[in-house]
Amino acid sequence: MNQSQRIYVVGHRNPDTDSICSAIAYAALRKLQGLEGVRPARAGNLNRQTEFVLDTLQQPAPELLSDVYPRLHDIVTEPVVTISEQAPLAEALKLYHRHSVRMLPVVDQSQKARGMLLLKKASEQFLLPDQEEKFCQVRVTINSVAQCLKATPQNLVDAERLEELNLYVGARNTSTFQRWVTEVAAEQAILITGDRTDIQRIAVEAGVRLLIVSGGGTVDAELIELARSKEVSILTSRFDTANCSWLTRLATPVGCLVKDDFLAVRRNDLLDDLRLKLIHGNQAGAIILDDQDRVCGVATKSHLIKNSPIKLILVDHNELGQAVPGAAKVEIIEVIDHHRLGNFHTDTLIHFINQPVGSTCTLVARLYRQAGIDPTREIAGLLLSGLLSDTVILKSPTTTEVDREFATWLAQLSGLDIEDYGTRLFASGSPLASGISPRKLITTDFKEYRAGEQTLGLGQIEVVNLHSFHERREELEAELLKIREEKGYELAALLITDIVMETSLLLTAGSKELPYIIGYPSEGKNLYRLKGVLSRKKQLVPHLLKVFKGGAK
């Protein structure tokens, strides 16, 4: 799993044209300025108007981010070190030392997890035998012993069978050994001896399970033949007797030392979920599995404090409640916005631009000019699109002289006529006559606002006439009631803005007291006329926040 820094320039949830276009344009600018890993993104689906813009200017849609919560594949980036279940304990100790790890996933031939071998557990296996009679006991296969001793097989009998055997050293004199070998279970004995042919022969004749000849000693051909007839395995090793004894105790296949109660997680799991499991569980770490259940990583408590490689540049918003889910869990390095300040805060100093202009695209265009860079024809078209969309073709009360100045500049660079292109822009985005579901109509451009302890949910649709709204009013009203109940809003409302007549209607789902406190003339049940209101941000939201913060219900 490879870690690489990714910096997403991303707008708010339920993105509008200004949000998408400013993200694409600002990512392009920062890339030109040398910022590595920067790319545009979006925190929701495109609306019809934005699709029109991207199709007209032949620009790809930014990457869709469902969330940016740190996930294990972002944090656990080290190459995984595994060990085969057939490998001896000695091999595990080498891997611990070589890779400076304390945990080894034990895997089968398909790289599927069999268990987790901890260094502590592995050390206790040969350093802390809890009973004296266990000092000589080993659980091995003949092949695992041969691997540990780097031994040369002289005769092998059922070398893959896992057995509980007893380890002895043939250090006695011949007569004493002759008597001793009759007192032990020879068929369960591993005997280590040097170049002592008398001891070798007695051991083979007694039928020991394994004879190990240490110190590079040799075995007579006649004795090998006898071993075949007695079904005695023989290994020769260059290691001396002391090391052969030590290494044989490390020959236990690691698959015998693990259980199947290990903690397994997926590479796409949230880091916060792992934190809960490791802090409140009894596991020191977790084995990370890929989509085919193969081991692809090991997560430990040290990973819980690592930073995500994902960083964000927020455009067209500065409130975490409107940001892509998980934004609070990653580093935000810049903010470019034209809305009111919300509850945003950071742990370090960041580049923060917030100015009272009609669109974020206006601010991005200004940054291009300040950098001495003319945007390309396509980028200029994107910036003009976002500017005209948010300022309602420069008719919204939020429009400033700065917006008008940059609209003219961008129109020249893009070759687009402001009035003609603006009219086509809004005609393309008329959603009410499109057959879109009521839920999507309401939530496509929908934002939450806090008024003291209360939350308001406000959507907006821009149309060129109100006829199609009246045809769909009942279903929109019913959907607003559902949304209010689901989300617990004090008020759920949809602002329908006629950009030609420069007026709006407000469809509401609120308390019984709402008609008495809202301060707008009624156009029927739950419907109000907002003459001259085009901007949700500058005209509707300040009024509603004043109403609800004033304590009225």
Side-chain angles (χ1 to χ4, degrees):
M1 292 185 282
N2 296 321
Q3 184 183 43
S4 57
Q5 176 174 275
R6 285 165 284 160
I7 301 175
Y8 290 108
V9 182
V10 61
H12 50 75
R13 304 183 200 185
N14 303 314
D16 56 13
T17 300
D18 187 38
S19 176
I20 296 294
C21 293
S22 61
I24 297 173
Y26 192 59
L29 175 61
R30 296 299 281 123
K31 190 172 184 178
L32 288 172
Q33 293 174 329
L35 184 61
E36 295 183 0
V38 65
R39 64 197 74 180
R42 54 192 170 99
N45 294 324
L46 302 176
N47 62 35
R48 290 164 60 87
Q49 184 187 85
T50 308
E51 287 177 342
F52 164 79
V53 170
L54 296 181
D55 289 343
T56 300
L57 299 173
Q58 298 183 329
Q59 295 298 297
E63 179 182 347
L64 175 62
L65 298 179
S66 57
D67 66 72
V68 290
Y69 287 107
R71 298 182 182 273
L72 298 189
H73 61 74
D74 297 318
I75 302 299
V76 183
T77 58
E78 307 85 358
V80 63
V81 181
T82 62
I83 187 168
S84 167
E85 61 183 333
Q86 303 297 332
L89 181 56
E91 181 64 23
L93 296 178
K94 291 178 185 177
L95 292 175
Y96 288 130
H97 177 70
R98 183 183 305 149
H99 298 283
S100 299
V101 295
R102 296 179 293 110
M103 304 178 195
L104 281 176
V106 178
V107 298
D108 61 17
Q109 292 181 342
S110 302
Q111 200 67 10
K112 303 289 181 64
R114 284 287 314 279
M116 179 81 90
L117 184 63
L118 305 183
L119 175 59
K120 181 176 182 290
K121 171 75 172 177
S123 302
E124 289 174 351
Q125 176 68 19
F126 60 91
L127 291 178
L128 298 173
D130 53 7
Q131 297 179 22
E132 185 175 345
E133 60 269 22
K134 292 186 178 180
F135 285 5
C136 67
Q137 292 179 357
V138 292
R139 192 179 187 193
V140 296
T141 67
I142 302 301
N143 279 343
S144 68
V145 174
Q147 183 178 346
C148 277
L149 301 184
K150 299 181 180 178
T152 302
Q154 303 298 326
N155 187 53
L156 295 178
V157 179
D158 204 1
E160 287 293 342
R161 187 172 76 222
L162 184 63
E163 302 172 76
E164 297 277 357
L165 301 175
N166 297 312
L167 178 62
Y168 304 106
V169 173
R172 295 170 172 84
N173 61 43
T174 303
S175 60
T176 304
F177 183 79
Q178 182 83 54
R179 184 171 59 254
W180 172 84
V181 80
T182 63
E183 298 173 353
V184 299
E187 70 279 3
Q188 296 177 358
I190 298 176
L191 182 74
I192 304 174
T193 188
D195 192 12
R196 298 179 62 184
T197 56
D198 52 345
I199 298 297
Q200 295 174 13
R201 179 170 293 277
I202 294 171
V204 172
E205 288 176 344
V208 297
R209 179 68 180 97
L210 173 62
L211 172 64
I212 300 172
V213 179
S214 61
T218 59
V219 182
D220 294 338
E222 179 187 353
L223 188 59
I224 294 174
E225 286 301 319
L226 179 60
R228 291 194 180 105
S229 66
K230 292 284 189 177
E231 294 189 342
V232 173
S233 295
I234 300 179
L235 301 174
T236 57
S237 174
R238 61 179 177 82
F239 292 115
D240 60 26
T241 298
N243 283 316
C244 282
S245 176
W246 176 254
L247 291 171
T248 300
R249 294 187 63 203
L250 299 179
T252 301
V254 293
C256 302
L257 304 177
V258 295
K259 298 179 181 179
D260 60 1
D261 60 349
F262 59 91
L263 176 60
V265 294
R266 299 287 176 177
R267 63 190 309 271
N268 203 44
D269 286 356
L270 297 177
L271 184 65
D272 280 349
D273 290 345
L274 175 67
R275 178 176 286 106
L276 290 174
K277 293 175 182 178
L278 292 184
I279 291 177
H280 299 290
N282 59 0
Q283 304 283 359
I287 295 176
I288 304 176
L289 306 178
D290 65 15
D291 295 338
Q292 283 75 47
D293 290 334
R294 297 173 301 193
V295 176
C296 62
V298 174
T300 67
K301 291 180 180 178
S302 62
H303 287 111
L304 301 180
I305 59 174
K306 289 187 66 175
N307 293 324
S308 171
I310 295 176
K311 302 178 188 297
L312 297 180
I313 296 175
L314 304 185
V315 294
D316 203 33
H317 69 301
N318 68 81
E319 297 187 57
L320 293 179
Q322 297 178 4
V324 59
K329 299 289 185 178
V330 299
E331 184 180 359
I332 297 172
I333 61 174
E334 295 185 40
V335 176
I336 313 294
D337 190 25
H338 69 124
H339 297 93
R340 69 176 186 134
L341 295 180
N343 58 349
F344 183 76
H345 68 275
T346 63
D347 295 330
T348 58
L349 295 175
I350 68 169
H351 186 210
F352 194 110
I353 295 177
N354 185 271
Q355 295 179 358
V357 294
S359 75
T360 301
C361 281
T362 302
L363 298 177
V364 175
R366 173 182 276 173
L367 291 172
Y368 268 91
R369 180 178 285 180
Q370 289 174 350
I373 299 173
D374 283 348
T376 64
R377 181 185 183 92
E378 293 76 17
I379 295 297
L382 289 171
L383 290 171
L384 180 62
S385 299
L387 192 160
L388 294 180
S389 176
D390 248 29
T391 63
V392 195
I393 321 177
L394 305 177
K395 296 177 182 178
S396 169
T398 62
T399 306
T400 67
E401 289 305 314
V402 175
D403 297 303
R404 293 186 175 89
E405 174 190 349
F406 278 97
T408 301
W409 183 55
L410 294 170
Q412 293 171 349
L413 292 173
S414 64
L416 297 171
D417 179 80
I418 291 176
E419 289 298 327
D420 174 68
Y421 181 66
T423 301
R424 290 193 291 125
L425 182 71
F426 278 92
S428 71
S430 179
L432 284 168
S434 65
I436 296 175
S437 70
R439 174 70 60 126
K440 189 171 183 180
L441 284 171
I442 295 168
T443 60
T444 293
D445 184 9
F446 190 87
K447 294 183 179 181
E448 291 182 352
Y449 300 90
R450 295 289 296 174
E453 297 299 318
Q454 303 170 95
T455 303
L456 315 180
L458 307 177
Q460 184 174 17
I461 300 173
E462 292 165 336
V463 298
V464 292
N465 63 68
L466 295 170
H467 301 305
S468 53
F469 161 71
H470 289 295
E471 292 176 358
R472 304 193 64 178
R473 171 182 169 178
E474 290 185 4
E475 57 180 326
L476 289 168
E477 186 174 355
E479 198 63 36
L480 276 174
L481 287 169
K482 291 180 184 178
I483 292 173
R484 179 177 185 248
E485 183 176 349
E486 291 171 8
K487 300 291 187 178
Y489 294 141
E490 177 65 24
L491 171 69
L494 178 64
L495 184 68
I496 305 95
T497 300
D498 185 334
I499 64 170
V500 176
M501 301 304 295
E502 298 187 25
T503 191
S504 295
L505 294 175
L506 185 67
L507 185 64
T508 65
S511 66
K512 294 180 180 179
E513 294 83 2
L514 185 63
Y516 306 104
I517 64 173
I518 194 166
Y520 291 125
S522 174
E523 288 276 318
K525 184 179 179 182
N526 298 325
L527 186 67
Y528 302 91
R529 170 73 64 175
L530 282 62
K531 188 175 181 180
V533 173
L534 298 179
S535 171
R536 172 178 53 188
K537 176 186 70 174
K538 192 167 184 178
Q539 295 171 291
L540 176 61
V541 170
H543 174 75
L544 292 180
L545 292 181
K546 182 179 179 180
V547 168
F548 286 97
K549 282 183 178 179
K553 292 282 187 115

